[in-house]
Amino acid sequence: MNASPGWTNSPAAGAQPAFPPSVVVEVKRLACEIPSRHGVPLAHLTVPELQREVIARGIVAQISGVTLWRWLSADALQPWRHRSWIFPRDPDFAEKAGRVLDLYARSWEGTTLGPDEFVVSADEKPSIQARRRKHASLGPAPGRPMRVEHEYFRAGALTYLAAWDVHRAKLFGRCEPKTTIGAVDRLVAQVMSTEPIALLTGFSGWPTTARRTVVRKPLLASGRIGRR
């Protein structure tokens, strides 16, 4: 396509250029593409990089970064940002996710959860490096911020286990040397011994089969905890 002259066609000095709508559309299309698909060695485009690219491709002869930013902002486009994402690969993902979302909405198999039923989501984060600073931290003083020692000793690795009481927005967590049935037992006991769950369930420990299920599937253990 022929480059839009942009500033060169300004009728008066200092006037804003009148770019045709086709140029605006072409620039936004470029901003929404994956740069690597066009041989551009960038993970994502910033406004200056996009400015250079639209000129190099002959979309415009000249354009300011402010104009590009204004066009992108009009459609809330931010090609310089990205979010890490895991795309669903399980063909039954929607059905499985639906059960979890129903629980989050306090529903199970079409029945609303009662006041004595709770939804708890549990997970683990293994191999967290434990560090011990080589010098104790110093508190702040007039004209001086707190000082924290940069160097440290390695103190092995720990596992963090957490459980989230979905509807009461309460987090339970603990560090353990590793993920074991005993470690999960202690997390479960921590959750179940806390009011109001403890008052409604009379918790005395999970059956061994239930404990093993949680250990084998630590990424998400959501379920109903109640007297029914």
Side-chain angles (χ1 to χ4, degrees):
M1 74 183 279
N2 294 328
S4 175
W7 289 102
T8 60
N9 276 355
S10 253
Q16 290 291 327
F19 292 98
S22 59
V23 170
V24 181
V25 171
E26 185 68 14
V27 169
K28 291 183 179 181
R29 183 188 65 80
L30 175 61
C32 292
E33 292 179 349
I34 305 298
S36 59
R37 294 177 181 173
H38 298 278
V40 181
L42 301 170
H44 40 83
L45 292 172
T46 63
V47 169
E49 290 159 349
L50 183 62
Q51 180 185 18
R52 288 192 291 269
E53 189 64 21
V54 297
I55 293 174
R57 293 189 182 202
I59 298 175
V60 294
Q62 188 176 356
I63 192 170
S64 71
V66 173
T67 298
L68 289 175
W69 182 88
R70 187 174 67 251
W71 292 353
L72 298 178
S73 180
D75 284 332
L77 294 174
Q78 298 177 313
W80 52 88
R81 298 185 62 187
H82 77 280
R83 175 180 294 177
S84 297
W85 193 260
I86 298 179
F87 292 90
R89 292 178 288 274
D90 187 340
D92 300 321
F93 174 80
E95 179 183 354
K96 295 176 180 178
R99 292 196 292 266
V100 176
L101 294 176
D102 285 346
L103 285 170
Y104 274 47
R106 294 198 59 80
S107 175
W108 179 252
E109 296 181 345
T111 303
T112 301
L113 298 184
D116 61 344
E117 294 176 308
F118 304 85
V119 180
V120 176
S121 179
D123 202 352
E124 65 170 1
K125 175 64 177 177
S127 302
I128 298 176
Q129 187 178 84
R131 299 175 178 178
R132 181 169 59 86
R133 301 292 173 179
K134 292 186 175 182
H135 192 286
S137 298
L138 295 179
R144 190 197 72 197
M146 180 174 67
R147 291 178 177 175
V148 178
E149 173 65 40
H150 176 70
E151 295 187 337
Y152 56 86
F153 297 103
R154 295 181 184 273
L158 299 173
T159 293
Y160 182 72
L161 294 97
W164 175 249
D165 185 336
V166 174
H167 300 114
R168 293 193 301 140
K170 184 173 178 61
L171 179 67
F172 305 86
R174 61 186 305 111
C175 287
E176 295 280 354
K178 60 179 65 177
T179 303
T180 62
I181 291 178
V184 175
D185 271 347
R186 288 185 285 274
L187 176 65
V188 171
Q190 183 179 345
V191 175
M192 300 292 284
S193 60
T194 304
E195 296 182 5
I197 298 177
L199 293 176
L200 295 173
T201 61
F203 174 70
S204 61
W206 271 18
T208 302
T209 53
R211 296 199 304 268
R212 288 175 179 168
T213 300
V214 176
V215 172
R216 291 172 184 169
K217 299 182 178 179
L219 294 181
L220 182 63
S222 293
R224 308 166 77 188
I225 303 174
R227 290 178 293 181
R228 282 201 257 178

